[in-house]
Amino acid sequence: MDQTTRQLIDRLDADRSLPLEGYEYLVSHYSPMAAKRLEQLAVVRRKAVYGNSVFIRGLIEVSSFCRNDCYYCGLRRSNEACERYRLSDDEIFDRVGAGYAIGFRTFVLQGGEDMRFSRDRVASIVSSIKERHPDCAVTLSLGERDRDTYAAWRDAGADRYLLRHEAADLAYYETLHPSNMSGETRLACLQDLRDVGYATGAGFMVGAPGQTSAHVAADLKFIEEFKPEMCGLGPFIPHHSTRYAHDAAGTVEQTCFLLSIVRLILPTVLLPATTALGSIDPRGRERGILAGANVVMPNLSPSDVREKYAIYDNKAHTGVESAEGLEDLNSRMGEIGYRIVVDRGDPATEDPINDAGETKGAIVAGDPVAAV
Ligand code: 5AD
Protein backbone atom coordinates (compact mmCIF):
# COMPACT_ATOMS: atom_id res chain seq x y z
CA MET A 1 0.00 0.00 0.00
CA ASP A 2 1.50 3.35 -0.98
CA GLN A 3 1.76 6.36 1.29
CA THR A 4 -1.09 8.25 -0.37
CA THR A 5 -3.49 5.33 -0.01
CA ARG A 6 -2.59 5.01 3.65
CA GLN A 7 -3.21 8.70 4.24
CA LEU A 8 -6.50 8.65 2.35
CA ILE A 9 -7.76 5.72 4.41
CA ASP A 10 -6.90 7.48 7.68
CA ARG A 11 -8.51 10.68 6.47
CA LEU A 12 -11.66 8.83 5.40
CA ASP A 13 -11.93 7.19 8.80
CA ALA A 14 -11.49 10.50 10.61
CA ASP A 15 -13.61 12.74 8.37
CA ARG A 16 -16.11 10.31 6.78
CA SER A 17 -15.43 12.18 3.61
CA LEU A 18 -12.84 12.52 0.88
CA PRO A 19 -12.63 14.88 -2.05
CA LEU A 20 -13.81 13.31 -5.29
CA GLU A 21 -10.21 12.78 -6.45
CA GLY A 22 -9.43 11.10 -3.14
CA TYR A 23 -12.17 8.55 -3.68
CA GLU A 24 -10.98 8.00 -7.23
CA TYR A 25 -7.40 7.45 -6.12
CA LEU A 26 -8.47 5.03 -3.41
CA VAL A 27 -10.75 3.02 -5.71
CA SER A 28 -8.10 2.75 -8.42
CA HIS A 29 -5.39 1.68 -5.96
CA TYR A 30 -6.95 -1.50 -4.65
CA SER A 31 -4.48 -3.79 -2.91
CA PRO A 32 -5.04 -6.60 -0.44
CA MET A 33 -3.24 -4.52 2.21
CA ALA A 34 -5.46 -1.50 1.64
CA ALA A 35 -8.53 -3.74 1.72
CA LYS A 36 -7.38 -5.24 5.02
CA ARG A 37 -6.83 -1.84 6.58
CA LEU A 38 -10.22 -0.56 5.43
CA GLU A 39 -11.87 -3.71 6.69
CA GLN A 40 -10.35 -3.36 10.16
CA LEU A 41 -11.52 0.23 10.48
CA ALA A 42 -14.95 -0.56 9.05
CA VAL A 43 -15.48 -3.36 11.56
CA VAL A 44 -14.61 -1.04 14.46
CA ARG A 45 -17.15 1.52 13.23
CA ARG A 46 -19.85 -1.02 12.59
CA LYS A 47 -19.34 -2.77 15.94
CA ALA A 48 -19.59 0.52 17.82
CA VAL A 49 -23.06 1.09 16.38
CA TYR A 50 -24.51 -2.39 15.93
CA GLY A 51 -22.35 -4.69 18.06
CA ASN A 52 -22.12 -8.11 16.49
CA SER A 53 -25.75 -8.13 15.40
CA VAL A 54 -26.63 -9.09 11.85
CA PHE A 55 -30.13 -8.13 10.75
CA ILE A 56 -32.18 -10.38 8.52
CA ARG A 57 -34.80 -9.33 5.98
CA GLY A 58 -37.23 -11.74 4.36
CA LEU A 59 -37.10 -10.98 0.65
CA ILE A 60 -40.31 -11.61 -1.26
CA GLU A 61 -39.98 -11.16 -5.02
CA VAL A 62 -43.54 -10.17 -5.85
CA SER A 63 -43.36 -9.77 -9.63
CA SER A 64 -40.94 -10.43 -12.49
CA PHE A 65 -42.91 -8.16 -14.84
CA CYS A 66 -41.09 -4.91 -15.56
CA ARG A 67 -41.90 -1.96 -17.78
CA ASN A 68 -38.25 -0.95 -17.97
CA ASP A 69 -35.52 -2.13 -20.26
CA CYS A 70 -32.30 -1.64 -18.29
CA TYR A 71 -29.58 -3.08 -20.52
CA TYR A 72 -27.94 -5.17 -17.79
CA CYS A 73 -30.99 -6.80 -16.24
CA GLY A 74 -32.44 -10.22 -17.03
CA LEU A 75 -35.95 -8.99 -16.17
CA ARG A 76 -35.78 -6.25 -18.82
CA ARG A 77 -38.98 -5.85 -20.78
CA SER A 78 -37.51 -6.90 -24.10
CA ASN A 79 -36.15 -10.19 -22.76
CA GLU A 80 -38.79 -12.48 -24.18
CA ALA A 81 -37.13 -15.57 -22.77
CA CYS A 82 -37.88 -14.42 -19.23
CA GLU A 83 -40.77 -16.29 -17.66
CA ARG A 84 -43.01 -13.77 -15.95
CA TYR A 85 -45.02 -14.24 -12.78
CA ARG A 86 -46.73 -12.13 -10.19
CA LEU A 87 -47.76 -13.22 -6.72
CA SER A 88 -51.31 -12.87 -5.45
CA ASP A 89 -51.99 -10.96 -2.25
CA ASP A 90 -52.62 -14.24 -0.46
CA GLU A 91 -49.35 -15.71 -1.65
CA ILE A 92 -47.57 -12.66 -0.25
CA PHE A 93 -49.37 -12.92 3.12
CA ASP A 94 -48.59 -16.61 3.22
CA ARG A 95 -44.86 -15.97 2.78
CA VAL A 96 -44.93 -13.18 5.38
CA GLY A 97 -46.62 -15.54 7.85
CA ALA A 98 -44.07 -18.27 7.18
CA GLY A 99 -41.22 -15.79 7.60
CA TYR A 100 -42.66 -14.41 10.82
CA ALA A 101 -42.81 -17.88 12.30
CA ILE A 102 -39.08 -18.41 11.77
CA GLY A 103 -37.96 -15.04 13.10
CA PHE A 104 -38.18 -12.43 10.36
CA ARG A 105 -39.34 -8.98 11.52
CA THR A 106 -38.67 -7.09 8.30
CA PHE A 107 -40.21 -8.03 4.98
CA VAL A 108 -38.98 -6.65 1.71
CA LEU A 109 -41.48 -6.64 -1.14
CA GLN A 110 -39.35 -6.37 -4.24
CA GLY A 111 -40.33 -6.50 -7.88
CA GLY A 112 -40.00 -5.14 -11.36
CA GLU A 113 -41.96 -2.01 -12.24
CA ASP A 114 -45.24 -3.86 -12.63
CA MET A 115 -48.19 -1.49 -12.81
CA ARG A 116 -50.55 -4.27 -11.76
CA PHE A 117 -49.05 -3.55 -8.36
CA SER A 118 -51.05 -0.36 -8.36
CA ARG A 119 -50.99 2.37 -5.78
CA ASP A 120 -54.15 1.05 -4.10
CA ARG A 121 -53.22 -2.59 -4.26
CA VAL A 122 -49.78 -2.11 -2.70
CA ALA A 123 -51.25 0.20 -0.04
CA SER A 124 -53.75 -2.48 0.90
CA ILE A 125 -51.09 -5.23 0.98
CA VAL A 126 -48.87 -3.08 3.22
CA SER A 127 -51.67 -2.20 5.63
CA SER A 128 -52.73 -5.85 5.90
CA ILE A 129 -49.18 -6.92 6.73
CA LYS A 130 -48.86 -4.19 9.35
CA GLU A 131 -52.24 -5.14 10.83
CA ARG A 132 -51.26 -8.78 11.11
CA HIS A 133 -47.75 -8.07 12.36
CA PRO A 134 -47.56 -4.64 14.01
CA ASP A 135 -44.08 -5.44 15.30
CA CYS A 136 -42.65 -5.78 11.79
CA ALA A 137 -41.11 -3.34 9.36
CA VAL A 138 -42.14 -3.36 5.72
CA THR A 139 -39.63 -2.35 3.07
CA LEU A 140 -40.71 -1.73 -0.50
CA SER A 141 -38.49 -2.04 -3.56
CA LEU A 142 -40.80 -1.53 -6.52
CA GLY A 143 -38.92 1.00 -8.60
CA GLU A 144 -39.80 4.47 -9.79
CA ARG A 145 -43.28 5.79 -8.97
CA ASP A 146 -44.70 9.23 -8.48
CA ARG A 147 -44.43 11.03 -5.19
CA ASP A 148 -48.13 10.62 -4.38
CA THR A 149 -47.86 6.87 -4.77
CA TYR A 150 -44.79 6.76 -2.52
CA ALA A 151 -46.71 8.88 0.01
CA ALA A 152 -49.78 6.62 -0.13
CA TRP A 153 -47.64 3.55 0.57
CA ARG A 154 -45.89 5.34 3.39
CA ASP A 155 -49.29 6.31 4.85
CA ALA A 156 -50.32 2.67 4.60
CA GLY A 157 -47.42 1.83 6.91
CA ALA A 158 -44.39 1.11 4.73
CA ASP A 159 -41.25 2.01 6.65
CA ARG A 160 -38.41 1.82 4.17
CA TYR A 161 -37.80 1.93 0.42
CA LEU A 162 -34.91 0.56 -1.60
CA LEU A 163 -34.13 2.21 -4.92
CA ARG A 164 -30.57 1.89 -6.07
CA HIS A 165 -29.40 5.08 -7.73
CA GLU A 166 -27.39 2.78 -10.11
CA ALA A 167 -24.95 5.48 -11.24
CA ALA A 168 -24.47 9.00 -9.93
CA ASP A 169 -22.52 10.01 -13.04
CA LEU A 170 -25.43 10.93 -15.29
CA ALA A 171 -23.61 10.34 -18.57
CA TYR A 172 -22.58 6.89 -17.41
CA TYR A 173 -26.14 6.20 -16.19
CA GLU A 174 -27.30 6.83 -19.76
CA THR A 175 -24.99 4.17 -21.17
CA LEU A 176 -26.68 1.50 -19.01
CA HIS A 177 -30.27 2.52 -19.69
CA PRO A 178 -32.54 3.33 -22.63
CA SER A 179 -33.26 6.97 -23.33
CA ASN A 180 -36.64 7.02 -21.60
CA MET A 181 -34.83 6.57 -18.28
CA SER A 182 -32.61 9.14 -16.65
CA GLY A 183 -30.34 9.49 -13.70
CA GLU A 184 -32.05 12.78 -12.84
CA THR A 185 -35.41 11.03 -12.49
CA ARG A 186 -33.82 8.36 -10.37
CA LEU A 187 -32.31 10.91 -8.00
CA ALA A 188 -35.60 12.85 -7.89
CA CYS A 189 -37.37 9.63 -6.83
CA LEU A 190 -34.84 9.16 -4.03
CA GLN A 191 -35.47 12.70 -2.87
CA ASP A 192 -39.26 12.13 -2.97
CA LEU A 193 -38.84 8.96 -0.92
CA ARG A 194 -36.87 10.81 1.70
CA ASP A 195 -39.31 13.75 1.71
CA VAL A 196 -42.33 11.56 2.32
CA GLY A 197 -40.58 9.97 5.28
CA TYR A 198 -39.05 6.64 4.29
CA ALA A 199 -35.76 5.31 5.53
CA THR A 200 -34.26 5.32 2.06
CA GLY A 201 -31.82 2.96 0.38
CA ALA A 202 -29.59 3.79 -2.57
CA GLY A 203 -26.79 1.77 -4.15
CA PHE A 204 -25.06 0.55 -7.28
CA MET A 205 -23.47 -2.43 -8.97
CA VAL A 206 -19.75 -2.99 -8.58
CA GLY A 207 -17.86 -3.71 -11.81
CA ALA A 208 -20.80 -2.83 -14.06
CA PRO A 209 -19.97 -2.68 -17.78
CA GLY A 210 -17.84 0.35 -18.59
CA GLN A 211 -17.62 1.45 -14.97
CA THR A 212 -14.44 3.40 -14.17
CA SER A 213 -12.90 4.51 -10.87
CA ALA A 214 -14.19 8.01 -11.61
CA HIS A 215 -17.75 6.67 -11.87
CA VAL A 216 -17.41 4.84 -8.58
CA ALA A 217 -15.94 7.99 -6.99
CA ALA A 218 -19.09 9.86 -8.07
CA ASP A 219 -21.22 7.13 -6.47
CA LEU A 220 -19.28 7.41 -3.21
CA LYS A 221 -19.61 11.19 -3.20
CA PHE A 222 -23.34 10.83 -3.79
CA ILE A 223 -23.61 8.39 -0.87
CA GLU A 224 -21.62 10.74 1.34
CA GLU A 225 -23.91 13.65 0.50
CA PHE A 226 -27.33 11.98 0.30
CA LYS A 227 -26.63 9.84 3.38
CA PRO A 228 -29.04 6.99 2.61
CA GLU A 229 -30.11 4.95 5.62
CA MET A 230 -29.44 1.79 3.58
CA CYS A 231 -27.04 1.02 0.76
CA GLY A 232 -27.16 -1.93 -1.65
CA LEU A 233 -23.80 -2.78 -3.19
CA GLY A 234 -23.35 -5.97 -5.13
CA PRO A 235 -21.18 -7.20 -7.97
CA PHE A 236 -22.51 -6.90 -11.50
CA ILE A 237 -23.11 -10.42 -12.86
CA PRO A 238 -23.84 -10.94 -16.56
CA HIS A 239 -27.16 -12.32 -17.75
CA HIS A 240 -27.03 -14.43 -20.89
CA SER A 241 -29.85 -12.67 -22.71
CA THR A 242 -28.55 -9.14 -22.33
CA ARG A 243 -25.97 -7.23 -24.39
CA TYR A 244 -23.51 -7.75 -21.54
CA ALA A 245 -23.74 -11.56 -21.66
CA HIS A 246 -19.98 -11.88 -22.16
CA ASP A 247 -18.80 -9.10 -19.89
CA ALA A 248 -16.82 -9.92 -16.76
CA ALA A 249 -18.61 -9.98 -13.40
CA GLY A 250 -17.59 -7.64 -10.60
CA THR A 251 -15.28 -9.26 -8.05
CA VAL A 252 -15.75 -10.17 -4.40
CA GLU A 253 -12.59 -8.23 -3.57
CA GLN A 254 -13.72 -4.98 -5.16
CA THR A 255 -17.20 -5.32 -3.64
CA CYS A 256 -15.85 -5.92 -0.13
CA PHE A 257 -13.39 -3.03 -0.54
CA LEU A 258 -16.31 -0.73 -1.37
CA LEU A 259 -18.48 -2.10 1.45
CA SER A 260 -15.72 -1.10 3.88
CA ILE A 261 -15.43 2.36 2.33
CA VAL A 262 -19.20 2.92 2.55
CA ARG A 263 -19.17 1.83 6.21
CA LEU A 264 -16.50 4.43 6.95
CA ILE A 265 -18.49 7.14 5.16
CA LEU A 266 -21.74 6.22 6.96
CA PRO A 267 -21.08 4.33 10.22
CA THR A 268 -24.80 3.83 10.92
CA VAL A 269 -25.79 2.65 7.42
CA LEU A 270 -27.67 -0.61 7.03
CA LEU A 271 -25.48 -2.43 4.57
CA PRO A 272 -26.43 -5.81 3.16
CA ALA A 273 -24.06 -8.55 2.10
CA THR A 274 -26.13 -9.03 -1.05
CA THR A 275 -27.41 -12.11 -2.83
CA ALA A 276 -25.18 -11.18 -5.78
CA LEU A 277 -22.14 -11.36 -3.49
CA GLY A 278 -23.34 -14.73 -2.19
CA SER A 279 -23.87 -15.86 -5.78
CA ILE A 280 -20.29 -15.32 -6.97
CA ASP A 281 -18.63 -16.80 -3.89
CA PRO A 282 -19.90 -19.53 -1.57
CA ARG A 283 -18.55 -17.49 1.33
CA GLY A 284 -19.69 -14.17 -0.11
CA ARG A 285 -22.15 -13.39 2.67
CA GLU A 286 -19.52 -13.97 5.36
CA ARG A 287 -16.91 -11.98 3.45
CA GLY A 288 -19.35 -9.08 3.14
CA ILE A 289 -20.11 -9.10 6.87
CA LEU A 290 -16.40 -9.25 7.68
CA ALA A 291 -15.84 -6.21 5.43
CA GLY A 292 -18.44 -4.09 7.27
CA ALA A 293 -21.89 -5.21 6.12
CA ASN A 294 -24.56 -5.94 8.75
CA VAL A 295 -27.66 -7.16 6.90
CA VAL A 296 -28.54 -10.33 5.01
CA MET A 297 -31.70 -10.80 2.99
CA PRO A 298 -32.56 -14.47 2.57
CA ASN A 299 -35.05 -15.36 -0.14
CA LEU A 300 -38.56 -15.88 1.19
CA SER A 301 -40.33 -16.05 -2.19
CA PRO A 302 -42.42 -19.15 -2.97
CA SER A 303 -39.85 -21.72 -4.11
CA ASP A 304 -41.41 -22.28 -7.54
CA VAL A 305 -40.87 -18.64 -8.57
CA ARG A 306 -37.32 -18.17 -7.30
CA GLU A 307 -35.78 -19.44 -10.53
CA LYS A 308 -37.88 -17.01 -12.52
CA TYR A 309 -36.65 -13.90 -10.75
CA ALA A 310 -33.46 -14.07 -12.79
CA ILE A 311 -31.88 -10.63 -12.73
CA TYR A 312 -28.51 -12.26 -13.57
CA ASP A 313 -27.24 -15.77 -14.27
CA ASN A 314 -26.68 -18.34 -11.49
CA LYS A 315 -28.49 -16.30 -8.85
CA ALA A 316 -28.29 -18.17 -5.58
CA HIS A 317 -31.63 -19.01 -4.02
CA THR A 318 -31.01 -22.13 -1.98
CA GLY A 319 -29.03 -22.92 1.19
CA VAL A 320 -28.07 -19.86 3.16
CA GLU A 321 -29.60 -17.64 0.47
CA SER A 322 -33.03 -19.01 1.34
CA ALA A 323 -35.23 -18.39 4.34
CA GLU A 324 -35.32 -22.16 4.91
CA GLY A 325 -31.56 -22.05 5.43
CA LEU A 326 -31.79 -19.63 8.34
CA GLU A 327 -30.39 -22.08 10.82
CA ASP A 328 -27.40 -22.71 8.61
CA LEU A 329 -26.96 -18.98 8.05
CA ASN A 330 -27.13 -18.46 11.80
CA SER A 331 -24.40 -20.99 12.46
CA ARG A 332 -22.22 -19.59 9.70
CA MET A 333 -22.56 -16.12 11.19
CA GLY A 334 -21.72 -17.63 14.59
CA GLU A 335 -18.54 -19.12 13.18
CA ILE A 336 -17.29 -15.67 12.21
CA GLY A 337 -18.30 -14.09 15.54
CA TYR A 338 -21.66 -12.57 14.61
CA ARG A 339 -25.24 -13.37 15.51
CA ILE A 340 -28.49 -13.04 13.68
CA VAL A 341 -31.11 -11.21 15.71
CA VAL A 342 -34.90 -11.23 15.72
CA ASP A 343 -35.43 -7.51 15.41
CA ARG A 344 -36.83 -4.97 12.97
CA GLY A 345 -33.28 -3.71 12.65
CA ASP A 346 -34.07 -0.04 12.23
CA PRO A 347 -31.28 2.31 11.23
CA ALA A 348 -29.39 3.62 14.26
CA THR A 349 -29.66 7.37 14.58
CA GLU A 350 -26.55 7.82 16.62
CA ASP A 351 -22.95 6.93 16.00
CA PRO A 352 -21.47 6.23 19.43
CA ILE A 353 -17.90 6.84 18.34
CA ASN A 354 -17.43 10.51 18.98
CA ASP A 355 -15.16 12.72 16.95
CA ALA A 356 -12.22 11.95 19.18
CA GLY A 357 -12.61 8.35 18.11
CA GLU A 358 -13.65 7.04 21.51
CA THR A 359 -16.40 4.52 21.93
CA LYS A 360 -19.22 5.67 24.21
CA GLY A 361 -20.80 2.25 24.42
CA ALA A 362 -22.42 0.01 21.92
CA ILE A 363 -26.12 -0.11 21.19
CA VAL A 364 -26.83 -3.79 20.88
CA ALA A 365 -30.25 -4.62 19.59
CA GLY A 366 -32.43 -7.66 19.38
CA ASP A 367 -32.78 -11.15 20.70
CA PRO A 368 -30.56 -13.75 19.16
CA VAL A 369 -32.29 -16.21 16.88
CA ALA A 370 -32.51 -19.21 19.20
CA ALA A 371 -33.78 -22.32 17.49
CA VAL A 372 -34.96 -21.45 14.03
N1 5AD B 1 -25.99 -8.05 -11.97
C1 5AD B 1 -26.03 -7.58 -10.72
N2 5AD B 1 -27.00 -6.79 -10.26
C2 5AD B 1 -27.98 -6.47 -11.11
N3 5AD B 1 -29.06 -5.69 -10.96
C3 5AD B 1 -29.76 -5.69 -12.12
N4 5AD B 1 -29.13 -6.44 -13.03
C4 5AD B 1 -28.02 -6.93 -12.43
C5 5AD B 1 -26.96 -7.75 -12.86
N5 5AD B 1 -26.90 -8.22 -14.10
C6 5AD B 1 -29.32 -4.94 -9.74
C7 5AD B 1 -29.57 -3.47 -10.05
C8 5AD B 1 -31.01 -3.26 -9.64
C9 5AD B 1 -31.31 -4.43 -8.75
C10 5AD B 1 -32.72 -4.89 -8.86
O1 5AD B 1 -30.46 -5.47 -9.15
O2 5AD B 1 -28.69 -2.65 -9.28
O3 5AD B 1 -31.23 -2.08 -8.93
Side-chain angles (χ1 to χ4, degrees):
M1 172 166 48
D2 63 77
Q3 181 84 11
T4 309
T5 303
R6 192 182 300 274
Q7 284 168 353
L8 286 169
I9 291 174
D10 289 345
R11 183 169 168 194
L12 179 62
D13 186 44
D15 299 352
R16 300 165 194 185
S17 165
L18 286 179
L20 199 57
E21 317 79 66
Y23 285 128
E24 187 176 348
Y25 188 96
L26 195 55
V27 171
S28 59
H29 288 73
Y30 172 89
S31 68
M33 284 281 284
K36 191 85 218 152
R37 180 72 189 137
L38 281 165
E39 184 183 298
Q40 285 165 347
L41 295 169
V43 164
V44 169
R45 295 281 166 188
R46 193 261 328 271
K47 285 212 159 155
V49 183
Y50 293 109
N52 63 353
S53 298
V54 172
F55 300 120
I56 48 171
R57 319 299 193 197
L59 180 64
I60 306 175
E61 296 155 334
V62 298
S63 176
S64 68
F65 286 89
C66 190
R67 63 175 169 179
N68 284 331
D69 216 24
C70 307
Y71 298 145
Y72 45 83
C73 182
L75 301 186
R76 59 195 304 252
R77 185 183 63 216
S78 61
N79 178 13
E80 287 171 12
C82 174
E83 223 183 300
R84 308 288 171 170
Y85 73 89
R86 63 170 65 85
L87 301 185
S88 68
D89 295 9
D90 282 340
E91 284 174 305
I92 296 171
F93 301 143
D94 179 65
R95 296 317 300 158
V96 168
Y100 190 88
I102 55 177
F104 288 95
R105 295 295 178 268
T106 290
F107 299 96
V108 182
L109 308 187
Q110 186 160 79
E113 286 186 23
D114 177 358
M115 294 305 112
R116 294 277 194 94
F117 278 90
S118 63
R119 168 182 160 147
D120 290 351
R121 180 174 169 202
V122 173
S124 121
I125 293 170
V126 171
S127 49
S128 296
I129 294 173
K130 298 291 283 199
E131 228 165 79
R132 290 166 200 226
H133 304 291
D135 54 336
C136 290
V138 172
T139 303
L140 297 176
S141 181
L142 300 169
E144 297 179 9
R145 300 292 180 108
D146 59 40
R147 189 184 170 106
D148 290 347
T149 302
Y150 287 151
W153 296 346
R154 174 85 186 119
D155 290 344
D159 303 273
R160 314 182 188 131
Y161 203 102
L162 305 174
L163 183 76
R164 290 187 176 179
H165 68 282
E166 310 295 358
D169 180 302
L170 298 178
Y172 175 55
Y173 182 98
E174 280 186 23
T175 69
L176 296 172
H177 301 91
S179 59
N180 67 330
M181 295 181 74
S182 84
E184 283 104 331
T185 306
R186 199 84 178 166
L187 299 182
C189 284
L190 281 166
Q191 192 56 52
D192 285 343
L193 288 164
R194 166 148 300 160
D195 292 346
V196 304
Y198 288 94
T200 304
F204 60 98
M205 295 179 289
V206 177
Q211 188 183 60
T212 64
S213 304
H215 298 144
V216 175
D219 291 320
L220 295 172
K221 191 45 104 178
F222 169 73
I223 285 164
E224 178 196 310
E225 288 172 351
F226 184 72
K227 303 193 186 341
E229 284 79 14
M230 302 163 287
C231 186
L233 279 191
F236 161 76
I237 303 173
H239 184 284
H240 61 277
S241 50
T242 64
R243 66 177 63 180
Y244 304 125
H246 303 293
D247 278 60
T251 65
V252 184
E253 288 72 24
Q254 194 71 14
T255 305
C256 288
F257 188 68
L258 287 169
L259 286 170
S260 301
I261 291 174
V262 169
R263 173 64 63 198
L264 294 184
I265 298 171
L266 300 173
T268 61
V269 76
L270 292 164
L271 193 60
T274 58
T275 304
L277 191 57
S279 296
I280 58 168
D281 184 319
R283 279 181 39 85
R285 296 283 207 193
E286 287 95 325
R287 292 178 70 178
I289 299 294
L290 290 169
N294 66 331
V295 174
V296 284
M297 300 168 66
N299 196 317
L300 189 56
S301 306
S303 36
D304 59 315
V305 306
R306 289 184 195 172
E307 295 253 323
K308 298 180 192 160
Y309 201 82
I311 302 178
Y312 45 80
D313 290 339
N314 306 315
K315 179 167 157 266
H317 53 81
T318 56
V320 292
E321 300 302 332
S322 71
E324 300 74 43
L326 201 53
E327 203 166 341
D328 189 20
L329 180 65
N330 198 25
S331 62
R332 281 169 57 170
M333 290 297 136
E335 281 163 24
I336 59 168
Y338 291 80
R339 55 175 201 140
I340 285 176
V341 294
V342 175
D343 190 285
R344 280 169 48 114
D346 285 307
T349 48
E350 199 189 328
D351 170 11
I353 296 187
N354 64 21
D355 289 340
E358 285 161 27
T359 303
K360 282 190 217 158
I363 306 160
V364 180
D367 302 322
V369 170
V372 284

